Amino acid sequence: MRKKGSGKIKAGDRAFDVINTLLLVFIFLIILYPLYYVLIASFSDPNLVLTGKIFLLPKGFQLESYKKVFENSEVMNGYLHTILYATVGTCINLAVTLTAGYALSRKDLRGRKIFSLFFIFTMFFSGGTVPTYMVVRNLNLLNTFWAMVLPNAMSVWNLILCRNFFEGNIPIELLEVSQIDGCRNDYFFIKIVLPLSRALIAVMVLFYAVGHWNAYMQPLLYLSDRSRYPLQLVLKNILISSQPDASLAGMTDRAELYKQTEMLKYALVVVSSVPMIVLYPFVQKYFVQGVMVGSVKG
């Protein structure tokens, strides 16, 4: 009877696995196809794209759209600014978040719980857009590089992640032994804690870098000089603007201009997505480990 019962259970499990797998594959294809379509459309003849003749494979292969993207000074300037904002901003984020997270993980820190509550409070009650804008303005940061990297120098969620990671993975005995040998706190953090936290650092780099790369509201609020625009605002001007950018397309005929602008949209989306797609494989092996270990106190 047990064998029959276990056989029925196994058959049910197999049916569940099959249905679950098919459902996940279906969801995966729904998510993947729009991304794939943008990619093949960027290499296809814009006339075929506009008439809906592109479905699975590119047709009328061309690289003119990418050539126009890389030849446009505004796009490349936005690209370089985005890389700069993401690089410097991520370095600042790591410096602030890791040091604060390690400090809060130390049980010998006086007022540790009060500091933790102070940070957590900001997750539920923030100043809002207008007060934050007034602070940035009063600090004379408007329309400057630092307006893009300082106001969001730390995410409280990431801070909690770091604190829990350090509490669960850096044994207090290791600190005590190092102190017996005369190791200072700063040396212990730099030489011992950070090398043992590669998984956490990789996750933090991905979280913060993606946030800076996709930043839209922050530059929209704080930047007025087009020469300082990141790529996302440049994309907004091209993708959302009702009037195609004639200087970008290099055309005077409106029908041809519209066709070229549509063609450029796909190329711009691909170009703007490549850096984050390239970054992810380098941190993917640490991603699950860093998130799971840091999210639960060990």
Side-chain angles (χ1 to χ4, degrees):
M1 295 297 293
R2 290 183 179 179
K3 290 183 179 180
K4 291 182 179 179
S6 61
K8 290 181 180 179
I9 294 174
K10 290 182 179 179
D13 289 342
R14 284 196 295 269
F16 174 79
D17 290 340
V18 171
I19 295 174
N20 192 42
T21 301
L22 292 175
L23 180 62
L24 291 175
V25 170
F26 178 70
I27 295 174
F28 172 74
L29 292 176
I30 292 176
I31 297 173
L32 178 64
Y33 181 73
L35 304 177
Y36 175 72
Y37 179 83
V38 170
L39 179 63
I40 62 176
S42 67
F43 290 105
S44 301
D45 187 330
N47 290 319
L48 299 177
V49 175
L50 291 173
T51 54
K53 297 181 179 179
I54 305 300
F55 184 65
L56 290 177
L57 295 174
K59 297 180 180 179
F61 185 84
Q62 55 81 31
L63 294 174
E64 187 66 22
S65 56
Y66 288 94
K67 181 180 178 181
K68 289 184 177 295
V69 167
F70 289 110
E71 285 180 348
N72 181 263
S73 59
E74 187 176 11
V75 172
M76 297 312 299
N77 183 63
Y79 211 102
L80 293 176
H81 274 88
T82 299
I83 293 174
L84 187 60
Y85 294 146
T87 302
V88 177
T90 301
C91 291
I92 294 175
N93 295 142
L94 291 177
V96 175
T97 307
L98 293 175
T99 52
Y102 173 69
L104 292 176
S105 72
R106 291 280 296 268
K107 295 182 179 180
D108 57 344
L109 175 67
R110 293 182 179 180
R112 174 170 169 259
K113 292 184 178 180
I114 296 177
F115 288 126
S116 297
L117 290 174
F118 175 79
F119 285 116
I120 293 174
F121 180 85
T122 63
M123 295 180 66
F124 300 97
F125 304 96
S126 62
T129 302
V130 174
T132 304
Y133 178 86
M134 293 174 65
V135 170
V136 174
R137 183 193 61 187
N138 292 336
L139 292 175
N140 296 320
L141 295 179
L142 287 181
N143 207 36
T144 66
F145 171 85
W146 301 110
M148 293 296 298
V149 296
L150 291 182
N152 295 323
M154 185 186 69
S155 165
V156 178
W157 172 258
N158 291 340
L159 172 66
I160 296 173
L161 209 64
C162 291
R163 183 198 64 185
N164 292 346
F165 182 92
F166 291 137
E167 287 180 348
N169 293 272
I170 307 299
I172 188 64
E173 294 79 11
L174 189 61
L175 174 62
E176 293 172 350
V177 170
S178 66
Q179 289 176 336
I180 293 174
D181 292 337
C183 179
R184 302 192 312 269
N185 283 324
D186 55 347
Y187 188 88
F188 177 77
F189 175 73
I190 296 173
K191 295 294 184 180
I192 299 177
V193 174
L194 292 183
L196 294 176
S197 308
R198 290 192 181 94
L200 176 68
I201 294 173
V203 173
M204 292 296 105
V205 167
L206 183 63
F207 283 176
Y208 280 124
V210 170
H212 284 291
W213 191 267
N214 293 329
Y216 175 76
M217 285 302 299
Q218 197 170 341
L220 187 64
L221 290 173
Y222 303 143
L223 299 181
S224 58
D225 186 356
R226 291 177 67 95
S227 64
R228 298 180 183 271
Y229 277 5
L231 186 60
Q232 300 305 325
L233 284 190
V234 177
L235 287 176
K236 186 267 295 185
N237 292 336
I238 297 173
L239 300 179
I240 302 179
S241 177
S242 58
Q243 295 296 327
D245 190 341
S247 63
L248 180 64
M251 298 288 176
T252 54
D253 180 75
R254 292 197 61 81
E256 185 66 18
L257 176 58
Y258 178 75
K259 182 183 73 174
Q260 294 295 328
T261 303
E262 286 296 309
M263 176 180 67
L264 288 170
K265 289 180 180 180
Y266 296 108
L268 284 168
V269 172
V270 173
V271 168
S272 64
S273 304
V274 165
M276 292 299 103
I277 295 175
V278 172
L279 174 64
Y280 183 77
F282 292 99
V283 299
Q284 186 271 338
K285 63 179 180 179
Y286 300 109
F287 189 77
V288 175
Q289 178 187 356
V291 172
M292 294 305 295
V293 173
S295 59
V296 180
K297 183 176 179 179

